[in-house]
Amino acid sequence: MPANDKLKEQIVHLPHKPGIYKFFDDHGIIYVGKAVDIRKRVSSYFNRSAQHNKKTLKLVSQIKHIEFTIVDTEADAFLLENNLIKQYQPKYNILLKDGKTYPYICIVNERFPRVISTRNKKNDGSRYFGPYPSVTTMYVVLDLIRTLYPLRTCTYNLSPENIAAGKFKVCLEYHIGNCKGPCEALVDETEYNANISQIKNILSGNLSVAKSYFKEHMAAAAADYQYELAHKYKQKLDMLEDFQAKSTVVSNTLTNIDVFTITSNEQCAFINYLKVMNGSIILTQSLELEKKLDEEDADILASVVVQLRQEFESTSREVISNIELRLPLDNITITYPQIGDKKKLLSLSLKNALYLRKEREGRQEKNKELGEQRELRVLETLKKDLRLTELPRQIECFDNSNFQGDNPVASMVCFKNGKPSKKDYRHFNIKTVVGPDDFASMYEIVTRRYRRLLDENQPLPQLIIIDGGKGQLGMAVKAMRDLGIYGQVAVVGIAKRLEEIFYPGDSLPLYIDKKSESLKLIQRLRNEAHRFAITFHRSKRDAGTLKTELTDIKGIGPSTSEALLKKYRSVKKLRELSLEELTAEVGKAKATVLFNHLHSSV
């Protein structure tokens, strides 16, 4: 799509340097992109020979202004783009906007630390582990820790002075064995902190330290004939090994690796993320992202990798992927394994992404089938209620609109298989009728609509609905008789007051059950035709007012008025333009006249 003069001027002044660019419409930022060469990349959007899809063409049609930021390297552009997308959430950028705040396990920075769950990460010296994409997984880990290690849950200030003063007493948690009573100095602080150190190892994915500790103490207790204590250590060791067995162990040689895989169709991309620590998968996340433009899988995945690594605070230096990926980030190695444990890990991740895709596509197909069945059922009900001879797969509804006799217009909306077919909607300017004559207007628009279909050998609808009573219906029937199609197409009228359905030549109306799906479909057609007509009428009325006001300004002729009218539609929008912007539209002399007039009349 070619750029207008204003955008061309902006593009000419874009630099041949790396950075980011921002596209604006009248309301704000609609797209943020990165580029090695800003001018080349932005120019490509307006290249006539480029094969853009419909979404991209729609984006380009809405661009009113372009801004850019130069950076030193491609890596800087990559990170800046990511941050701006999260900040502004432009409607044409793919966004990870699930709105979730993931939970953490926190070792609180205090004497005799507590281990708690939280969603609020504070900069208070506490140690946070996570975030966990699954609350259930987080509580499994938290329950394991609280079972292995007796920790306090109270929020007392256990300073040496407070404990020495005897301010606190042990609670029920102490008596049932869940806490060792640090509030009364019943546990040594060094011993308590040793447990906290082991908990940190477990939460970091390193279970070997805790396992070694329990094994050594179990053996020591058994050697000292303390068999009951040895049994307790064995139970804790069994719990750790059971927890590790339930984790997906891939290989003890793999540590601190991120795995990202992607598969996509025309509408969506499906991504899986696995985080591996000490040979086990400690985190997994699957995402479905709706495509906004004609994004390539590599571009989508590169953006997601940065966002998820930030979200889950990954420090891994190796990323495994199923597609070729460019991450212009320092100290990151990207591998595409073909054999071995890493290949198995990659296959597992891709299996999850493919499963999500299959599940979503299956659900969409099922919903589509259910929707089609429902639409068919509604049409069958309508056929029965209106006593039609064939299923009304195409229904057209007509409505008139005028305001105190001015600017009479009409509309026709078309539903196919029970759904709006907006490409078949039509507006009509009334040409042969003078004044507010709804009957004559209905005759004109019905005649024009079906004469054209007949001339072009287009199929006729199975049902015509006239918004109005007997008078409008009668004129529609007369138009159909004159065209020779009366009897070929069913036609009814609907009166607004009591939702009565009228048949040609029948003085008694039909009343359809107010809860009937078929009446709701008729009402929907009627309301849509009315909305379409009113919108058209309002735009004509506003345009007429604007045109009159502009042509009354000395020095502003009809051609200038038409051009401004077509682009801006209202005086309010024109008044928002600066003198420089008006000059770009109509030249300095006319812009000065127009600007002074608009702002003197405020």
Side-chain angles (χ1 to χ4, degrees):
M1 177 177 291
N4 59 37
D5 292 340
K6 186 177 178 181
L7 289 177
K8 284 180 182 177
E9 183 69 17
Q10 291 182 18
I11 293 170
V12 166
H13 290 93
L14 293 175
H16 289 292
K17 291 183 179 296
I20 61 96
Y21 54 91
K22 293 177 282 187
F23 292 154
F24 293 76
D25 66 2
D26 291 328
H27 306 289
I29 296 176
I30 57 175
Y31 186 74
V32 174
K34 62 180 179 299
V36 177
D37 185 314
I38 296 174
R39 190 193 298 182
K40 280 187 179 180
R41 183 68 185 100
V42 172
S43 298
S44 69
Y45 286 94
F46 301 93
N47 189 339
R48 290 177 180 271
S49 60
Q51 298 297 314
H52 295 309
N53 66 8
K54 289 183 179 179
K55 292 181 180 179
T56 304
L57 292 174
K58 186 176 181 182
L59 161 67
V60 174
S61 70
Q62 295 177 6
I63 298 171
K64 299 296 175 62
H65 178 64
I66 302 169
E67 290 183 4
F68 66 91
T69 301
I70 298 172
V71 295
D72 292 329
T73 66
E74 186 182 355
D76 292 335
F78 190 81
L79 294 174
L80 180 57
E81 177 201 38
N82 180 259
N83 291 333
L84 290 175
I85 289 172
K86 286 194 290 186
Q87 179 182 352
Y88 293 108
Q89 300 194 355
K91 66 179 180 180
Y92 285 103
N93 284 103
I94 287 181
L95 305 171
L96 298 183
K97 51 179 182 179
D98 55 12
K100 292 180 181 177
T101 303
Y102 293 109
Y104 293 82
I105 291 178
C106 172
I107 299 177
V108 183
N109 181 27
E110 60 192 5
R111 191 163 184 254
F112 297 104
R114 290 170 294 137
V115 180
I116 62 172
S117 64
T118 182
R119 291 181 185 270
N120 300 315
K121 193 176 179 185
K122 301 176 182 177
N123 189 19
D124 59 356
S126 299
R127 182 78 181 274
Y128 294 86
F129 296 87
Y132 291 85
S134 166
V135 176
T136 303
T137 302
M138 183 203 66
Y139 278 119
V140 167
V141 177
L142 201 55
D143 288 344
L144 171 71
I145 288 168
R146 288 172 174 169
T147 305
L148 292 174
Y149 303 98
L151 303 170
R152 74 171 179 122
T153 57
C154 64
T155 58
Y156 296 143
N157 177 9
L158 300 185
S159 66
E161 295 78 15
N162 287 342
I163 294 174
K167 285 190 174 184
F168 313 115
K169 296 294 182 184
V170 293
C171 62
L172 180 62
E173 291 294 306
Y174 170 80
H175 294 294
I176 63 177
N178 291 338
C179 176
K180 288 196 171 184
C183 59
E184 289 191 34
L186 299 176
V187 61
D188 180 67
E189 187 174 359
T190 303
E191 178 188 344
Y192 191 99
N193 288 337
N195 288 343
I196 292 295
S197 180
Q198 290 183 38
I199 290 169
K200 290 178 181 178
N201 278 305
I202 292 172
L203 292 175
S204 299
N206 183 11
L207 281 76
S208 59
V209 175
K211 287 168 67 176
S212 297
Y213 173 86
F214 291 133
K215 282 180 182 178
E216 291 171 5
H217 282 69
M218 179 180 69
D224 199 28
Y225 304 109
Q226 298 183 50
Y227 297 116
E228 187 174 339
L229 180 59
H231 180 66
K232 288 182 179 179
Y233 282 123
K234 185 178 186 307
Q235 285 181 317
K236 292 178 185 292
L237 180 61
D238 289 342
M239 288 178 65
L240 267 180
E241 291 180 339
D242 182 56
F243 174 75
Q244 189 172 31
K246 289 178 180 177
S247 302
T248 303
V249 179
V250 286
S251 171
N252 290 328
T253 62
L254 300 181
T255 182
N256 208 8
I257 295 173
D258 286 337
V259 185
F260 289 91
T261 54
I262 185 171
T263 178
S264 67
N265 55 29
E266 290 184 3
Q267 291 80 35
C268 296
F270 305 88
I271 295 166
N272 178 259
Y273 169 42
L274 301 179
K275 183 171 182 57
V276 179
M277 289 286 290
N278 299 311
S280 297
I281 297 172
I282 64 168
L283 184 151
T284 177
Q285 180 81 318
S286 293
L287 300 170
E288 175 187 357
L289 298 175
E290 180 186 354
K291 292 183 177 180
K292 301 292 185 179
L293 304 172
D294 52 350
E295 301 95 346
E296 298 290 337
D297 282 359
D299 293 330
I300 296 172
L301 190 56
S303 176
V304 171
V305 167
V306 174
Q307 293 188 59
L308 285 184
R309 281 172 59 88
Q310 289 178 349
E311 185 76 46
F312 294 106
E313 301 175 0
S314 173
T315 58
S316 57
R317 296 301 182 187
E318 182 177 4
V319 172
I320 295 175
S321 177
N322 67 318
I323 64 169
E324 189 169 334
L325 197 59
R326 286 192 70 243
L327 287 176
L329 303 176
D330 295 334
N331 302 319
I332 298 291
T333 301
I334 306 171
T335 56
Y336 314 97
Q338 303 300 314
I339 58 173
D341 292 332
K342 290 184 180 180
K343 173 61 176 176
K344 292 178 182 177
L345 193 59
L346 181 68
S347 298
L348 177 63
S349 177
L350 184 58
K351 183 178 180 181
N352 279 276
L354 289 168
Y355 179 83
L356 178 63
R357 175 178 175 175
K358 182 179 179 181
E359 187 266 334
R360 292 290 193 271
E361 290 177 344
R363 186 188 301 174
Q364 290 169 0
E365 188 63 32
K366 185 176 181 181
N367 289 340
K368 182 180 177 182
E369 290 175 1
L370 290 173
E372 290 174 350
Q373 291 174 7
R374 179 188 175 280
E375 290 154 7
L376 183 62
R377 184 186 71 242
V378 173
L379 295 180
E380 291 284 3
T381 305
L382 184 61
K383 176 185 175 184
K384 179 181 177 182
D385 287 344
L386 295 184
R387 302 188 292 274
L388 305 176
T389 57
E390 57 181 326
L391 197 67
R393 291 194 175 274
Q394 179 170 329
I395 308 172
E396 296 185 351
C397 181
F398 293 85
D399 185 32
N400 292 321
S401 177
N402 67 74
F403 179 72
Q404 297 179 350
D406 292 332
N407 298 313
V409 296
S411 71
M412 186 280 296
V413 298
C414 176
F415 277 32
K416 292 183 177 178
N417 294 319
K419 295 186 294 186
S421 177
K422 295 196 175 184
K423 67 182 179 65
D424 295 305
Y425 283 20
R426 296 292 182 268
H427 281 138
F428 298 91
N429 288 304
I430 304 301
K431 298 178 179 179
T432 62
V433 180
V434 178
D437 188 339
D438 285 346
F439 297 159
S441 297
M442 186 62 70
Y443 178 87
E444 178 186 326
I445 61 176
V446 171
T447 300
R448 286 168 56 188
R449 169 63 178 167
Y450 296 113
R451 177 180 291 137
R452 180 159 189 169
L453 290 188
L454 292 172
D455 291 344
E456 296 177 355
N457 293 317
Q458 297 293 319
L460 296 172
Q462 288 79 43
L463 174 64
I464 298 170
I465 298 174
I466 304 300
D467 181 16
K470 295 179 183 178
Q472 284 95 329
L473 177 61
M475 295 305 289
V477 168
K478 183 177 186 305
M480 294 171 68
R481 289 186 190 278
D482 291 346
L483 291 169
I485 62 171
Y486 185 67
Q488 298 179 37
V489 182
V491 58
V492 298
I494 177 171
K496 293 181 178 66
R497 192 169 65 88
L498 297 174
E499 306 292 47
E500 301 164 315
I501 306 297
F502 288 97
Y503 289 93
D506 191 341
S507 59
L508 297 176
L510 170 70
Y511 294 96
I512 300 176
D513 186 341
K514 292 290 190 290
K515 297 181 180 179
S516 169
E517 290 181 318
S518 59
L519 179 60
K520 289 179 180 177
L521 177 59
I522 293 173
Q523 290 170 331
R524 188 180 171 200
L525 274 147
R526 187 267 315 282
N527 294 341
E528 180 71 350
H530 185 63
R531 178 199 66 79
F532 198 51
I534 289 293
T535 302
F536 182 45
H537 183 264
R538 186 178 294 121
S539 67
K540 278 200 69 179
R541 192 173 69 228
D542 292 346
T545 302
L546 174 59
K547 186 176 180 181
T548 301
E549 181 166 345
L550 293 181
T551 51
D552 285 345
I553 303 173
K554 188 176 181 180
I556 304 298
S559 59
T560 303
S561 301
E562 288 287 349
L564 293 173
L565 165 63
K566 185 176 181 180
K567 186 168 184 179
Y568 293 102
R569 312 296 296 179
S570 72
V571 173
K572 181 182 177 183
K573 288 185 178 179
L574 276 177
R575 191 173 282 126
E576 291 171 354
L577 299 180
S578 66
L579 180 59
E580 291 74 15
E581 289 172 320
L582 280 173
T583 301
E585 295 289 347
V586 299
K588 187 174 182 179
K590 290 181 180 178
T592 303
V593 172
L594 189 57
F595 186 84
N596 291 337
H597 173 84
L598 292 173
H599 291 275
S600 65
S601 59
V602 173

